[in-house]
Amino acid sequence: MHYSFEQLEQALQIDLNKLDEVRVEHVQLFYAVSRGYRNAMDKRDSYKNQQKEVNGTQYFVAKDLVETEHGKSTEAMIKAQLDTLKECLEINTKLLQAESELNSWIALKEAYEQRSFALSSLVELYLSGYFGTLSAEVVNPKSIDTRTNDKLTKLEQLRRARSTKRVE
């Protein structure tokens, strides 16, 4: 299933009344977050490569502009001119947006990692009865003893019945 970034953000909330469902769903959500993180990283890396290509192709254009205007050029002057060229501005803007998106996915992934620890702790608290009685049947220890005694008595009777059959 495909989740949007906003859906994944909303799913961070933990419903204490559905811990079993939340725990199972967490794996799928964490996978979706990891996949979104990876896609955002790939997008950022792609724009980085495009930036290198654009800077490489526009380098000589920038150098010619600087030499025409100032007679000679330095690397700092060429770099400054490169930053003003339309093609370079466009790719730099796309790269900044991709880095911002990646940072959001990084934060979301870290939040899901923390959610995993919180879920484990909440389940432990739930099982220890911290939130009240368990939804499962609470068994009285005396009834366990009675049931155990009943079973032992039955087993003893069966053993005696078998041993008397062997003797006869």
Side-chain angles (χ1 to χ4, degrees), residues 6-126:
E6 290 76 21
Q7 288 172 321
L8 291 168
E9 272 184 319
Q10 290 172 355
L12 274 169
Q13 296 178 357
I14 298 172
D15 185 350
L16 294 177
N17 296 318
K18 298 179 181 179
L19 278 179
D20 52 345
E21 294 172 24
V22 172
R23 187 88 171 130
V24 170
E25 186 183 48
H26 179 76
V27 176
Q28 295 168 335
L29 294 173
F30 190 82
Y31 175 74
V33 169
S34 296
R35 202 172 69 214
Y37 164 74
R38 186 70 220 152
N39 290 341
M41 188 179 290
D42 289 344
K43 184 177 177 182
R44 190 264 330 252
D45 291 347
S46 173
Y47 283 131
K48 272 187 172 180
N49 290 335
Q50 288 179 27
Q51 181 190 42
K52 288 177 185 175
E53 289 175 16
V54 168
N55 285 347
T57 58
Q58 295 299 311
Y59 178 85
F60 294 106
V61 173
K63 184 176 180 178
D64 288 344
L65 288 171
V66 169
E67 287 177 352
T68 303
E69 191 173 318
H70 299 286
K72 63 178 185 173
S73 62
T74 64
E75 284 299 314
M77 294 168 75
I78 296 170
K79 172 76 172 106
Q81 185 64 43
L82 260 176
D83 291 341
T84 64
L85 296 176
K86 179 183 174 187
E87 294 84 359
C88 294
L89 287 172
E90 287 174 358
I91 195 64
N92 287 340
T93 301
K94 288 179 182 178
L95 179 59
L96 285 174
Q97 289 170 343
E99 286 177 345
S100 176
E101 182 181 339
L102 175 60
N103 289 336
S104 296
W105 280 103
I106 289 171
L108 187 62
K109 187 172 184 226
E110 288 176 8
Y112 266 89
E113 288 171 356
Q114 292 303 314
R115 182 181 192 253
S116 178
F117 293 120
L119 274 172
S120 295
S121 297
L122 287 170
V123 167
E124 286 177 27
L125 287 171
Y126 178 79

